[in-house]
mmCIF file of all heavy atoms in Angstrom:
data_model
loop_
_atom_site.group_PDB
_atom_site.id
_atom_site.type_symbol
_atom_site.label_atom_id
_atom_site.label_comp_id
_atom_site.label_asym_id
_atom_site.label_seq_id
_atom_site.Cartn_x
_atom_site.Cartn_y
_atom_site.Cartn_z
ATOM 1 N N LEU A 61 -13.253 -2.369 -7.947
ATOM 2 C CA LEU A 61 -12.626 -3.345 -8.845
ATOM 3 C C LEU A 61 -13.622 -3.842 -9.889
ATOM 4 O O LEU A 61 -13.279 -3.976 -11.070
ATOM 5 C CB LEU A 61 -12.073 -4.519 -8.031
ATOM 6 C CG LEU A 61 -10.770 -4.234 -7.286
ATOM 7 C CD1 LEU A 61 -10.540 -5.254 -6.174
ATOM 8 C CD2 LEU A 61 -9.592 -4.231 -8.254
ATOM 9 N N ASN A 62 -14.843 -4.105 -9.461
ATOM 10 C CA ASN A 62 -15.869 -4.527 -10.421
ATOM 11 C C ASN A 62 -16.149 -3.440 -11.449
ATOM 12 O O ASN A 62 -16.314 -3.713 -12.642
ATOM 13 C CB ASN A 62 -17.145 -4.908 -9.684
ATOM 14 C CG ASN A 62 -17.046 -6.262 -9.005
ATOM 15 O OD1 ASN A 62 -16.178 -7.069 -9.319
ATOM 16 N ND2 ASN A 62 -17.944 -6.518 -8.070
ATOM 17 N N MET A 63 -16.200 -2.193 -10.991
ATOM 18 C CA MET A 63 -16.451 -1.079 -11.900
ATOM 19 C C MET A 63 -15.317 -0.895 -12.908
ATOM 20 O O MET A 63 -15.544 -0.434 -14.035
ATOM 21 C CB MET A 63 -16.636 0.222 -11.113
ATOM 22 C CG MET A 63 -17.932 0.296 -10.307
ATOM 23 S SD MET A 63 -18.012 1.796 -9.304
ATOM 24 C CE MET A 63 -18.306 3.026 -10.559
ATOM 25 N N SER A 64 -14.103 -1.239 -12.483
ATOM 26 C CA SER A 64 -12.950 -1.020 -13.364
ATOM 27 C C SER A 64 -12.959 -1.934 -14.580
ATOM 28 O O SER A 64 -12.357 -1.609 -15.609
ATOM 29 C CB SER A 64 -11.651 -1.242 -12.579
ATOM 30 O OG SER A 64 -11.387 -2.624 -12.391
ATOM 31 N N GLY A 65 -13.618 -3.092 -14.457
ATOM 32 C CA GLY A 65 -13.603 -4.056 -15.549
ATOM 33 C C GLY A 65 -12.315 -4.853 -15.638
ATOM 34 O O GLY A 65 -12.170 -5.697 -16.538
ATOM 35 N N LEU A 66 -11.368 -4.619 -14.732
ATOM 36 C CA LEU A 66 -10.102 -5.342 -14.747
ATOM 37 C C LEU A 66 -10.258 -6.698 -14.054
ATOM 38 O O LEU A 66 -11.057 -6.830 -13.119
ATOM 39 C CB LEU A 66 -9.011 -4.533 -14.034
ATOM 40 C CG LEU A 66 -8.660 -3.181 -14.662
ATOM 41 C CD1 LEU A 66 -7.693 -2.425 -13.761
ATOM 42 C CD2 LEU A 66 -8.060 -3.380 -16.042
ATOM 43 N N PRO A 67 -9.512 -7.707 -14.500
ATOM 44 C CA PRO A 67 -9.603 -9.012 -13.839
ATOM 45 C C PRO A 67 -8.982 -8.963 -12.441
ATOM 46 O O PRO A 67 -7.933 -8.332 -12.235
ATOM 47 C CB PRO A 67 -8.808 -9.933 -14.770
ATOM 48 C CG PRO A 67 -7.858 -9.032 -15.485
ATOM 49 C CD PRO A 67 -8.572 -7.715 -15.638
ATOM 50 N N TRP A 68 -9.631 -9.605 -11.496
ATOM 51 C CA TRP A 68 -9.105 -9.628 -10.135
ATOM 52 C C TRP A 68 -9.597 -10.862 -9.407
ATOM 53 O O TRP A 68 -10.551 -11.505 -9.823
ATOM 54 C CB TRP A 68 -9.493 -8.356 -9.374
ATOM 55 C CG TRP A 68 -10.975 -8.202 -9.096
ATOM 56 C CD1 TRP A 68 -11.928 -7.739 -9.960
ATOM 57 C CD2 TRP A 68 -11.663 -8.506 -7.879
ATOM 58 N NE1 TRP A 68 -13.170 -7.735 -9.367
ATOM 59 C CE2 TRP A 68 -13.033 -8.207 -8.083
ATOM 60 C CE3 TRP A 68 -11.260 -9.002 -6.645
ATOM 61 C CZ2 TRP A 68 -13.993 -8.382 -7.082
ATOM 62 C CZ3 TRP A 68 -12.216 -9.171 -5.654
ATOM 63 C CH2 TRP A 68 -13.562 -8.864 -5.888
ATOM 64 N N GLN A 69 -8.935 -11.172 -8.323
ATOM 65 C CA GLN A 69 -9.320 -12.270 -7.463
ATOM 66 C C GLN A 69 -9.209 -11.804 -6.017
ATOM 67 O O GLN A 69 -8.543 -10.800 -5.734
ATOM 68 C CB GLN A 69 -8.412 -13.484 -7.689
ATOM 69 C CG GLN A 69 -6.950 -13.204 -7.396
ATOM 70 C CD GLN A 69 -6.035 -14.344 -7.816
ATOM 71 O OE1 GLN A 69 -6.487 -15.364 -8.318
ATOM 72 N NE2 GLN A 69 -4.726 -14.164 -7.614
ATOM 73 N N ARG A 70 -9.868 -12.523 -5.099
ATOM 74 C CA ARG A 70 -9.817 -12.109 -3.705
ATOM 75 C C ARG A 70 -9.075 -13.117 -2.848
ATOM 76 O O ARG A 70 -9.058 -14.321 -3.143
ATOM 77 C CB ARG A 70 -11.210 -11.828 -3.143
ATOM 78 C CG ARG A 70 -12.119 -13.015 -2.981
ATOM 79 C CD ARG A 70 -13.494 -12.558 -2.456
ATOM 80 N NE ARG A 70 -13.475 -12.222 -1.036
ATOM 81 C CZ ARG A 70 -14.467 -11.587 -0.401
ATOM 82 N NH1 ARG A 70 -15.531 -11.196 -1.083
ATOM 83 N NH2 ARG A 70 -14.386 -11.326 0.887
ATOM 84 N N GLN A 71 -8.462 -12.587 -1.798
ATOM 85 C CA GLN A 71 -7.770 -13.405 -0.803
ATOM 86 C C GLN A 71 -8.254 -12.943 0.565
ATOM 87 O O GLN A 71 -7.988 -11.812 0.977
ATOM 88 C CB GLN A 71 -6.253 -13.222 -0.924
ATOM 89 C CG GLN A 71 -5.443 -13.929 0.151
ATOM 90 C CD GLN A 71 -3.963 -13.613 0.032
ATOM 91 O OE1 GLN A 71 -3.435 -13.466 -1.072
ATOM 92 N NE2 GLN A 71 -3.289 -13.491 1.165
ATOM 93 N N ASP A 72 -8.993 -13.779 1.263
ATOM 94 C CA ASP A 72 -9.578 -13.409 2.544
ATOM 95 C C ASP A 72 -8.610 -13.653 3.697
ATOM 96 O O ASP A 72 -7.890 -14.654 3.722
ATOM 97 C CB ASP A 72 -10.853 -14.210 2.807
ATOM 98 C CG ASP A 72 -11.998 -13.792 1.893
ATOM 99 O OD1 ASP A 72 -11.819 -12.832 1.112
ATOM 100 O OD2 ASP A 72 -13.072 -14.415 1.959
ATOM 101 N N THR A 73 -8.616 -12.733 4.639
ATOM 102 C CA THR A 73 -7.847 -12.893 5.864
ATOM 103 C C THR A 73 -8.537 -12.105 6.973
ATOM 104 O O THR A 73 -9.171 -11.085 6.712
ATOM 105 C CB THR A 73 -6.399 -12.403 5.707
ATOM 106 O OG1 THR A 73 -5.698 -12.578 6.952
ATOM 107 C CG2 THR A 73 -6.341 -10.933 5.329
ATOM 108 N N SER A 74 -8.422 -12.581 8.191
ATOM 109 C CA SER A 74 -8.955 -11.859 9.345
ATOM 110 C C SER A 74 -7.865 -11.126 10.110
ATOM 111 O O SER A 74 -8.140 -10.482 11.114
ATOM 112 C CB SER A 74 -9.675 -12.837 10.289
ATOM 113 O OG SER A 74 -10.799 -13.419 9.652
ATOM 114 N N ASP A 75 -6.625 -11.229 9.616
ATOM 115 C CA ASP A 75 -5.479 -10.647 10.320
ATOM 116 C C ASP A 75 -4.742 -9.676 9.399
ATOM 117 O O ASP A 75 -3.984 -10.094 8.525
ATOM 118 C CB ASP A 75 -4.534 -11.758 10.782
ATOM 119 C CG ASP A 75 -3.416 -11.234 11.677
ATOM 120 O OD1 ASP A 75 -3.301 -10.002 11.840
ATOM 121 O OD2 ASP A 75 -2.653 -12.061 12.210
ATOM 122 N N PRO A 76 -4.949 -8.369 9.592
ATOM 123 C CA PRO A 76 -4.310 -7.389 8.708
ATOM 124 C C PRO A 76 -2.920 -6.953 9.167
ATOM 125 O O PRO A 76 -2.341 -6.037 8.581
ATOM 126 C CB PRO A 76 -5.281 -6.210 8.782
ATOM 127 C CG PRO A 76 -5.807 -6.274 10.182
ATOM 128 C CD PRO A 76 -5.883 -7.749 10.543
ATOM 129 N N ARG A 77 -2.375 -7.589 10.182
ATOM 130 C CA ARG A 77 -1.134 -7.085 10.774
ATOM 131 C C ARG A 77 0.053 -7.137 9.819
ATOM 132 O O ARG A 77 1.016 -6.388 9.995
ATOM 133 C CB ARG A 77 -0.810 -7.868 12.051
ATOM 134 C CG ARG A 77 -1.750 -7.545 13.215
ATOM 135 C CD ARG A 77 -1.450 -8.398 14.423
ATOM 136 N NE ARG A 77 -1.689 -9.816 14.148
ATOM 137 C CZ ARG A 77 -1.420 -10.787 15.016
ATOM 138 N NH1 ARG A 77 -0.922 -10.496 16.211
ATOM 139 N NH2 ARG A 77 -1.670 -12.050 14.691
ATOM 140 N N GLN A 78 0.016 -7.992 8.806
ATOM 141 C CA GLN A 78 1.119 -8.083 7.866
ATOM 142 C C GLN A 78 1.014 -7.063 6.730
ATOM 143 O O GLN A 78 1.920 -6.958 5.911
ATOM 144 C CB GLN A 78 1.183 -9.502 7.280
ATOM 145 C CG GLN A 78 1.408 -10.590 8.314
ATOM 146 C CD GLN A 78 2.676 -10.363 9.122
ATOM 147 O OE1 GLN A 78 3.731 -10.073 8.553
ATOM 148 N NE2 GLN A 78 2.577 -10.490 10.432
ATOM 149 N N MET A 79 -0.085 -6.314 6.696
ATOM 150 C CA MET A 79 -0.253 -5.311 5.657
ATOM 151 C C MET A 79 0.571 -4.061 5.977
ATOM 152 O O MET A 79 0.847 -3.778 7.140
ATOM 153 C CB MET A 79 -1.731 -4.939 5.518
ATOM 154 C CG MET A 79 -2.621 -6.079 5.041
ATOM 155 S SD MET A 79 -2.195 -6.664 3.379
ATOM 156 C CE MET A 79 -1.283 -8.166 3.763
ATOM 157 N N PRO A 80 0.942 -3.280 4.956
ATOM 158 C CA PRO A 80 1.789 -2.096 5.190
ATOM 159 C C PRO A 80 1.214 -1.119 6.211
ATOM 160 O O PRO A 80 1.957 -0.532 6.988
ATOM 161 C CB PRO A 80 1.874 -1.453 3.797
ATOM 162 C CG PRO A 80 1.712 -2.594 2.841
ATOM 163 C CD PRO A 80 0.745 -3.525 3.513
ATOM 164 N N LYS A 81 -0.088 -0.919 6.234
ATOM 165 C CA LYS A 81 -0.722 -0.008 7.192
ATOM 166 C C LYS A 81 -1.411 -0.768 8.324
ATOM 167 O O LYS A 81 -2.112 -0.176 9.144
ATOM 168 C CB LYS A 81 -1.750 0.879 6.487
ATOM 169 C CG LYS A 81 -1.207 1.689 5.320
ATOM 170 C CD LYS A 81 -0.168 2.697 5.760
ATOM 171 C CE LYS A 81 0.284 3.547 4.572
ATOM 172 N NZ LYS A 81 1.355 4.488 4.955
ATOM 173 N N GLN A 82 -1.240 -2.092 8.337
ATOM 174 C CA GLN A 82 -1.913 -2.969 9.294
ATOM 175 C C GLN A 82 -3.436 -2.779 9.239
ATOM 176 O O GLN A 82 -4.127 -2.832 10.254
ATOM 177 C CB GLN A 82 -1.398 -2.730 10.716
ATOM 178 C CG GLN A 82 0.076 -3.088 10.873
ATOM 179 C CD GLN A 82 0.554 -3.079 12.310
ATOM 180 O OE1 GLN A 82 0.050 -2.324 13.138
ATOM 181 N NE2 GLN A 82 1.514 -3.925 12.608
ATOM 182 N N LYS A 83 -3.927 -2.546 8.014
ATOM 183 C CA LYS A 83 -5.354 -2.355 7.784
ATOM 184 C C LYS A 83 -5.718 -3.036 6.463
ATOM 185 O O LYS A 83 -4.859 -3.308 5.633
ATOM 186 C CB LYS A 83 -5.702 -0.853 7.701
ATOM 187 C CG LYS A 83 -5.500 -0.082 8.988
ATOM 188 C CD LYS A 83 -5.612 1.411 8.766
ATOM 189 C CE LYS A 83 -6.968 1.825 8.244
ATOM 190 N NZ LYS A 83 -7.093 3.294 8.067
ATOM 191 N N LEU A 84 -6.990 -3.286 6.291
ATOM 192 C CA LEU A 84 -7.530 -3.810 5.040
ATOM 193 C C LEU A 84 -8.639 -2.875 4.573
ATOM 194 O O LEU A 84 -9.261 -2.195 5.390
ATOM 195 C CB LEU A 84 -8.090 -5.220 5.251
ATOM 196 C CG LEU A 84 -7.069 -6.320 5.564
ATOM 197 C CD1 LEU A 84 -7.775 -7.625 5.884
ATOM 198 C CD2 LEU A 84 -6.090 -6.510 4.417
ATOM 199 N N PRO A 85 -8.821 -2.801 3.227
ATOM 200 C CA PRO A 85 -8.317 -3.678 2.172
ATOM 201 C C PRO A 85 -6.938 -3.270 1.671
ATOM 202 O O PRO A 85 -6.428 -2.189 1.990
ATOM 203 C CB PRO A 85 -9.356 -3.489 1.075
ATOM 204 C CG PRO A 85 -9.720 -2.034 1.202
ATOM 205 C CD PRO A 85 -9.766 -1.787 2.693
ATOM 206 N N ALA A 86 -6.381 -4.165 0.863
ATOM 207 C CA ALA A 86 -5.152 -3.899 0.126
ATOM 208 C C ALA A 86 -5.213 -4.723 -1.150
ATOM 209 O O ALA A 86 -5.957 -5.702 -1.222
ATOM 210 C CB ALA A 86 -3.925 -4.273 0.951
ATOM 211 N N ILE A 87 -4.462 -4.312 -2.134
ATOM 212 C CA ILE A 87 -4.350 -5.119 -3.350
ATOM 213 C C ILE A 87 -2.884 -5.472 -3.578
ATOM 214 O O ILE A 87 -1.982 -4.714 -3.205
ATOM 215 C CB ILE A 87 -4.935 -4.426 -4.607
ATOM 216 C CG1 ILE A 87 -4.272 -3.079 -4.864
ATOM 217 C CG2 ILE A 87 -6.439 -4.292 -4.492
ATOM 218 C CD1 ILE A 87 -4.672 -2.428 -6.186
ATOM 219 N N LYS A 88 -2.680 -6.621 -4.193
ATOM 220 C CA LYS A 88 -1.340 -7.060 -4.574
ATOM 221 C C LYS A 88 -1.267 -7.062 -6.088
ATOM 222 O O LYS A 88 -2.080 -7.715 -6.750
ATOM 223 C CB LYS A 88 -1.055 -8.453 -4.018
ATOM 224 C CG LYS A 88 0.368 -8.945 -4.268
ATOM 225 C CD LYS A 88 0.538 -10.388 -3.844
ATOM 226 C CE LYS A 88 0.325 -10.574 -2.362
ATOM 227 N NZ LYS A 88 0.545 -12.003 -1.957
ATOM 228 N N VAL A 89 -0.304 -6.312 -6.610
ATOM 229 C CA VAL A 89 -0.114 -6.201 -8.065
ATOM 230 C C VAL A 89 1.356 -6.427 -8.369
ATOM 231 O O VAL A 89 2.220 -5.652 -7.919
ATOM 232 C CB VAL A 89 -0.549 -4.813 -8.587
ATOM 233 C CG1 VAL A 89 -0.430 -4.769 -10.105
ATOM 234 C CG2 VAL A 89 -1.960 -4.472 -8.148
ATOM 235 N N ASP A 90 1.656 -7.492 -9.108
ATOM 236 C CA ASP A 90 3.042 -7.801 -9.477
ATOM 237 C C ASP A 90 3.958 -7.819 -8.257
ATOM 238 O O ASP A 90 5.082 -7.298 -8.291
ATOM 239 C CB ASP A 90 3.569 -6.795 -10.508
ATOM 240 C CG ASP A 90 2.794 -6.848 -11.817
ATOM 241 O OD1 ASP A 90 2.313 -7.952 -12.163
ATOM 242 O OD2 ASP A 90 2.663 -5.803 -12.478
ATOM 243 N N GLY A 91 3.488 -8.387 -7.170
ATOM 244 C CA GLY A 91 4.292 -8.519 -5.967
ATOM 245 C C GLY A 91 4.300 -7.307 -5.060
ATOM 246 O O GLY A 91 4.850 -7.355 -3.951
ATOM 247 N N THR A 92 3.698 -6.201 -5.517
ATOM 248 C CA THR A 92 3.632 -4.984 -4.711
ATOM 249 C C THR A 92 2.270 -4.886 -4.030
ATOM 250 O O THR A 92 1.233 -5.093 -4.673
ATOM 251 C CB THR A 92 3.853 -3.736 -5.579
ATOM 252 O OG1 THR A 92 5.154 -3.806 -6.172
ATOM 253 C CG2 THR A 92 3.748 -2.464 -4.749
ATOM 254 N N ILE A 93 2.271 -4.571 -2.743
ATOM 255 C CA ILE A 93 1.012 -4.427 -2.006
ATOM 256 C C ILE A 93 0.659 -2.947 -1.914
ATOM 257 O O ILE A 93 1.473 -2.121 -1.473
ATOM 258 C CB ILE A 93 1.118 -5.043 -0.602
ATOM 259 C CG1 ILE A 93 1.308 -6.563 -0.717
ATOM 260 C CG2 ILE A 93 -0.141 -4.725 0.214
ATOM 261 C CD1 ILE A 93 1.449 -7.268 0.612
ATOM 262 N N ILE A 94 -0.548 -2.620 -2.320
ATOM 263 C CA ILE A 94 -1.065 -1.246 -2.266
ATOM 264 C C ILE A 94 -2.184 -1.221 -1.228
ATOM 265 O O ILE A 94 -3.249 -1.807 -1.449
ATOM 266 C CB ILE A 94 -1.589 -0.802 -3.635
ATOM 267 C CG1 ILE A 94 -0.479 -0.888 -4.683
ATOM 268 C CG2 ILE A 94 -2.156 0.622 -3.560
ATOM 269 C CD1 ILE A 94 -0.945 -0.676 -6.110
ATOM 270 N N PRO A 95 -1.968 -0.586 -0.083
ATOM 271 C CA PRO A 95 -2.979 -0.583 0.968
ATOM 272 C C PRO A 95 -3.933 0.607 0.863
ATOM 273 O O PRO A 95 -3.606 1.608 0.228
ATOM 274 C CB PRO A 95 -2.142 -0.463 2.242
ATOM 275 C CG PRO A 95 -0.983 0.395 1.821
ATOM 276 C CD PRO A 95 -0.717 0.063 0.359
ATOM 277 N N ASP A 96 -5.107 0.461 1.468
ATOM 278 C CA ASP A 96 -6.078 1.545 1.625
ATOM 279 C C ASP A 96 -6.968 1.675 0.385
ATOM 280 O O ASP A 96 -6.477 1.678 -0.753
ATOM 281 C CB ASP A 96 -5.393 2.884 1.908
ATOM 282 C CG ASP A 96 -6.367 3.972 2.303
ATOM 283 O OD1 ASP A 96 -6.729 4.026 3.489
ATOM 284 O OD2 ASP A 96 -6.796 4.749 1.426
ATOM 285 N N SER A 97 -8.261 1.798 0.643
ATOM 286 C CA SER A 97 -9.226 1.832 -0.464
ATOM 287 C C SER A 97 -9.033 3.037 -1.368
ATOM 288 O O SER A 97 -9.273 2.963 -2.578
ATOM 289 C CB SER A 97 -10.660 1.809 0.082
ATOM 290 O OG SER A 97 -10.943 2.984 0.829
ATOM 291 N N GLU A 98 -8.585 4.155 -0.807
ATOM 292 C CA GLU A 98 -8.369 5.339 -1.645
ATOM 293 C C GLU A 98 -7.158 5.145 -2.550
ATOM 294 O O GLU A 98 -7.159 5.568 -3.711
ATOM 295 C CB GLU A 98 -8.190 6.578 -0.772
ATOM 296 C CG GLU A 98 -8.311 7.904 -1.519
ATOM 297 C CD GLU A 98 -9.690 8.156 -2.117
ATOM 298 O OE1 GLU A 98 -10.663 7.488 -1.711
ATOM 299 O OE2 GLU A 98 -9.793 9.025 -3.006
ATOM 300 N N ASN A 99 -6.124 4.490 -2.033
ATOM 301 C CA ASN A 99 -4.961 4.190 -2.872
ATOM 302 C C ASN A 99 -5.313 3.166 -3.956
ATOM 303 O O ASN A 99 -4.772 3.215 -5.064
ATOM 304 C CB ASN A 99 -3.813 3.667 -2.019
ATOM 305 C CG ASN A 99 -3.207 4.740 -1.138
ATOM 306 O OD1 ASN A 99 -3.322 5.930 -1.436
ATOM 307 N ND2 ASN A 99 -2.569 4.348 -0.052
ATOM 308 N N ILE A 100 -6.213 2.250 -3.612
ATOM 309 C CA ILE A 100 -6.683 1.289 -4.619
ATOM 310 C C ILE A 100 -7.415 2.026 -5.733
ATOM 311 O O ILE A 100 -7.214 1.742 -6.915
ATOM 312 C CB ILE A 100 -7.597 0.240 -3.963
ATOM 313 C CG1 ILE A 100 -6.775 -0.649 -3.019
ATOM 314 C CG2 ILE A 100 -8.307 -0.606 -5.020
ATOM 315 C CD1 ILE A 100 -7.604 -1.573 -2.152
ATOM 316 N N ARG A 101 -8.234 2.986 -5.367
ATOM 317 C CA ARG A 101 -8.921 3.788 -6.391
ATOM 318 C C ARG A 101 -7.901 4.495 -7.281
ATOM 319 O O ARG A 101 -8.035 4.478 -8.510
ATOM 320 C CB ARG A 101 -9.845 4.817 -5.733
ATOM 321 C CG ARG A 101 -10.475 5.760 -6.757
ATOM 322 C CD ARG A 101 -11.320 6.854 -6.143
ATOM 323 N NE ARG A 101 -11.761 7.788 -7.166
ATOM 324 C CZ ARG A 101 -12.536 8.834 -6.955
ATOM 325 N NH1 ARG A 101 -12.981 9.083 -5.728
ATOM 326 N NH2 ARG A 101 -12.879 9.629 -7.945
ATOM 327 N N ARG A 102 -6.885 5.091 -6.672
ATOM 328 C CA ARG A 102 -5.876 5.797 -7.460
ATOM 329 C C ARG A 102 -5.164 4.854 -8.429
ATOM 330 O O ARG A 102 -4.876 5.219 -9.574
ATOM 331 C CB ARG A 102 -4.846 6.460 -6.531
ATOM 332 C CG ARG A 102 -5.347 7.708 -5.836
ATOM 333 C CD ARG A 102 -4.187 8.559 -5.377
ATOM 334 N NE ARG A 102 -4.594 9.420 -4.266
ATOM 335 C CZ ARG A 102 -4.268 9.220 -2.997
ATOM 336 N NH1 ARG A 102 -3.534 8.198 -2.672
ATOM 337 N NH2 ARG A 102 -4.673 10.049 -2.071
ATOM 338 N N TYR A 103 -4.856 3.658 -7.948
ATOM 339 C CA TYR A 103 -4.191 2.700 -8.831
ATOM 340 C C TYR A 103 -5.087 2.357 -10.021
ATOM 341 O O TYR A 103 -4.623 2.350 -11.175
ATOM 342 C CB TYR A 103 -3.827 1.422 -8.078
ATOM 343 C CG TYR A 103 -3.351 0.338 -9.024
ATOM 344 C CD1 TYR A 103 -2.061 0.366 -9.545
ATOM 345 C CD2 TYR A 103 -4.215 -0.674 -9.454
ATOM 346 C CE1 TYR A 103 -1.636 -0.597 -10.464
ATOM 347 C CE2 TYR A 103 -3.796 -1.643 -10.368
ATOM 348 C CZ TYR A 103 -2.507 -1.597 -10.863
ATOM 349 O OH TYR A 103 -2.096 -2.535 -11.774
ATOM 350 N N LEU A 104 -6.351 2.078 -9.750
ATOM 351 C CA LEU A 104 -7.266 1.721 -10.832
ATOM 352 C C LEU A 104 -7.420 2.873 -11.824
ATOM 353 O O LEU A 104 -7.522 2.667 -13.038
ATOM 354 C CB LEU A 104 -8.617 1.305 -10.256
ATOM 355 C CG LEU A 104 -8.594 0.041 -9.385
ATOM 356 C CD1 LEU A 104 -9.959 -0.192 -8.748
ATOM 357 C CD2 LEU A 104 -8.161 -1.181 -10.199
ATOM 358 N N GLU A 105 -7.425 4.095 -11.301
ATOM 359 C CA GLU A 105 -7.499 5.256 -12.197
ATOM 360 C C GLU A 105 -6.230 5.381 -13.032
ATOM 361 O O GLU A 105 -6.288 5.794 -14.199
ATOM 362 C CB GLU A 105 -7.747 6.520 -11.382
ATOM 363 C CG GLU A 105 -9.163 6.581 -10.809
ATOM 364 C CD GLU A 105 -9.398 7.756 -9.885
ATOM 365 O OE1 GLU A 105 -8.428 8.239 -9.271
ATOM 366 O OE2 GLU A 105 -10.571 8.174 -9.747
ATOM 367 N N SER A 106 -5.085 4.999 -12.449
ATOM 368 C CA SER A 106 -3.832 5.046 -13.219
ATOM 369 C C SER A 106 -3.837 4.023 -14.348
ATOM 370 O O SER A 106 -3.061 4.143 -15.312
ATOM 371 C CB SER A 106 -2.634 4.791 -12.302
ATOM 372 O OG SER A 106 -2.511 3.416 -11.964
#
C-alpha cells in the first residue's frame, strides 16, 4: 500500500473470523472486502 502511493488507513483487529477467508490481511474498498495479500496486490495493480 505504501509503494502504491494511494491513500489508505488501517483498522486493527485480532479476530479474522468475519473476513471472507477468515484470514488477514484484507482491504475494504467502497464497501467491498478483498482478502489475502496477493489479491490486495492484484487490486493495487488494477
Side-chain angles (χ1 to χ4, degrees):
L61 284 161
N62 284 343
M63 290 175 73
S64 77
L66 297 173
W68 67 279
Q69 61 188 359
R70 68 182 285 168
Q71 175 184 324
D72 290 356
T73 180
S74 296
D75 187 354
R77 289 176 296 176
Q78 299 303 313
M79 295 297 102
K81 304 296 184 183
Q82 296 189 330
K83 294 169 61 178
L84 292 174
I87 57 172
K88 185 187 297 182
V89 184
D90 297 329
T92 299
I93 294 179
I94 302 171
D96 190 83
S97 65
E98 195 64 17
N99 290 337
I100 292 171
R101 174 184 174 179
R102 285 201 204 105
Y103 171 78
L104 296 174
E105 289 174 333
S106 76

